[in-house]
Amino acid sequence: MPRTVWLLVGARAINRLGAFSLPFLTVLISTEFGASATTAGALSAAFGLATIPSRLAGGRLAVRLGRRRTMVLGLTGCALAQLGIAAAGSLAAVALFAVLLGLAFELYEPPSQGMIADAVGSADRVRAYGLMNTALAIGGTGAGLIAAGLGRWDLRWLFVVDALTCLVCALVLHLVLPADHLRPKAPLAPGGRRDGASPWRDRALCAMFGAGTVFALVTMQIMIALPLSLDRRGLQPADAGLLFTASALTVVAAQPALHLRRLAVLPDSVALALGYVLMALGLAGYAVAHTLPAFTAATVLWSLGDVPLLGRALGVVAELAPPGAADRYLAAYGVSWGVATVAAPVTSTQALEHAGVAALWTATAALCLALAAAQLVIVEPLIRRTRPPRAVRPAHPPEAGGRISRT
């Protein structure tokens, strides 16, 4: 992998080490300020709503301001907002800083993903994004343990430590990444429209966006509803940190499996559908779990499904983008996380309140099975019409000196 990819991966791992506060935002609102589950869900949804313009702004600022500046700006803004949440003395103050956090939260993603897309060839993009996913998982192993410890002491400290890692990550990126050189505007396509200026006109991207939104909804429901589910099953909500650590360790341990030839040569949509099915099986386990070991086993299972998903999906989106439009395509696709972050606090808290733990996770598992079917029947035909056939990647791409990559 090029040096730029490794720098982004290292900085992201540092940031991920402290990125454990979001799953506990609803818990903080409920326990520290006595808010109802409905109010806590609404405030978390306000945070998610703010991430939608944040993601789109990240794609535009990457072009106009520069990728490095945009990433540093986003991380610094996240740190200041999280410190505000930690110091807030009223529910109104928490709501204000939660919205400000959302406005800064997604600025980082489009420029970092676009930088990776430009740094490697199309055949290596899945590996590069998979490497980023591994770094997030490695950072997540420590993040879950810190969350489990600090969460038992004072939930506010979760936001303080998260803010500090954002600042460290911003400093590292500012010092090690090359200075920004603003890129020229994309050339005009026939008809006077700039190539890549309107990714929403790409039907294949819209299909990936729909599937990505459902996947993001499932992921956000896990983050938000898992601590609350543990509490309703008579366990410590902070034990969700241990489960998130188990998930991260599973993702790291499973990375070598991605280089097995039978998995490496799978078409993208088949690999994505397989991941969704494994997630469904694990989430169904949450519906019947009543002990921490049972929750852990279910976590390991759905985490195995998560392994092939992120790298494959981002790789497909990057390949759909015309030259020079990767930032905007990835930003448009990433809006799915903003939509899910709005919906998940409401859907998860309402489902827990009115239907219970078992019904929430059963419905979420069914959603994953539906997503697997849609990927093969609806999304894949649209991708095939838009994207030219791609040569099969070797299962073990050789590196310099003949050594085999383990990432």
Side-chain angles (χ1 to χ4, degrees):
M1 287 291 134
R3 178 175 177 268
T4 298
V5 174
W6 285 109
L7 292 174
L8 289 170
V9 166
R12 201 68 170 101
I14 294 172
N15 180 232
R16 182 65 180 91
L17 186 63
F20 42 66
S21 59
L22 184 58
F24 296 93
L25 179 58
T26 53
V27 180
L28 175 70
I29 294 170
S30 299
T31 59
E32 294 284 328
F33 299 99
S36 66
T38 300
T39 300
L43 290 182
S44 294
F47 159 82
L49 186 62
T51 65
I52 295 177
S54 174
R55 172 75 71 151
L56 295 174
R60 290 188 175 274
L61 289 176
V63 176
R64 298 183 180 182
L65 187 64
R67 286 171 168 170
R68 188 182 71 171
R69 294 190 188 97
T70 301
M71 288 187 282
V72 171
L73 176 64
L75 290 167
T76 304
C78 284
L80 295 177
Q82 287 169 327
L83 291 175
I85 292 175
S90 66
L91 190 59
V94 172
L96 172 63
F97 285 113
V99 171
L100 293 177
L101 177 61
L103 291 173
F105 197 77
E106 295 287 349
L107 293 179
Y108 178 93
E109 296 297 342
S112 64
Q113 293 170 358
M115 192 174 287
I116 289 176
D118 289 350
V120 299
S122 61
D124 288 326
R125 281 174 183 161
V126 172
R127 291 179 58 220
Y129 288 126
L131 181 60
M132 180 70 78
N133 197 28
T134 304
L136 292 175
I138 292 173
T141 59
L145 295 176
I146 295 173
L150 290 179
R152 294 173 185 272
W153 178 31
D154 190 336
L155 290 175
R156 292 176 183 265
W157 279 103
L158 298 177
F159 294 88
V160 173
V161 176
D162 199 346
L164 292 177
T165 59
C166 283
L167 291 174
V168 171
C169 185
L171 179 62
V172 170
L173 292 178
H174 177 72
L175 293 177
V176 302
L177 287 181
D180 288 313
H181 297 286
L182 299 184
R183 291 164 290 161
K185 292 182 178 180
L188 289 177
R193 183 175 61 86
R194 292 197 182 277
D195 200 14
S198 300
W200 298 112
R201 298 183 182 182
D202 190 324
R203 295 179 64 189
L205 176 67
C206 290
M208 285 296 296
F209 172 79
T213 300
V214 178
F215 168 65
L217 177 64
V218 170
T219 302
M220 292 306 301
Q221 286 199 159
I222 294 172
M223 294 180 66
I224 293 168
L226 187 53
L228 299 173
S229 297
L230 292 176
D231 183 55
R232 288 176 176 246
R233 290 282 165 89
L235 302 172
Q236 285 283 346
D239 285 340
L242 299 177
L243 297 178
F244 293 140
T245 297
S247 174
L249 288 172
T250 301
V251 171
V252 174
Q255 288 303 308
L258 291 176
H259 302 285
L260 296 175
R261 181 167 180 79
R262 288 186 178 181
L263 293 179
V265 300
L266 284 178
D268 289 326
S269 287
V270 173
L272 291 171
L274 175 62
Y276 296 139
V277 170
L278 288 175
M279 287 196 74
L281 295 175
L283 295 175
Y286 279 167
V288 297
H290 285 81
T291 65
L292 191 59
F295 272 101
T296 303
T299 298
V300 170
L301 187 54
W302 73 252
S303 298
L304 288 173
D306 191 55
V307 170
L309 293 177
L310 180 62
R312 292 274 189 161
L314 292 177
V316 169
V317 173
E319 287 189 22
L320 290 174
D327 295 279
R328 290 194 174 185
Y329 264 64
L330 290 164
Y333 175 74
V335 170
S336 60
W337 288 93
V339 174
T341 308
V342 174
V346 177
T347 58
S348 57
T349 54
Q350 289 299 305
L352 284 172
E353 190 121 331
H354 298 290
V357 174
L360 167 66
W361 296 114
T362 300
T364 308
L367 199 59
C368 288
L369 291 177
L371 187 56
Q375 182 69 42
L376 296 173
V377 176
I378 300 174
V379 181
E380 172 58 22
L382 289 172
I383 294 175
R384 197 163 47 238
R385 292 174 199 163
T386 304
R387 189 176 65 179
R390 183 179 60 189
V392 174
R393 293 183 299 271
H396 298 284
E399 294 182 335
R403 298 188 64 184
I404 301 299
S405 169
R406 298 185 61 85
T407 57

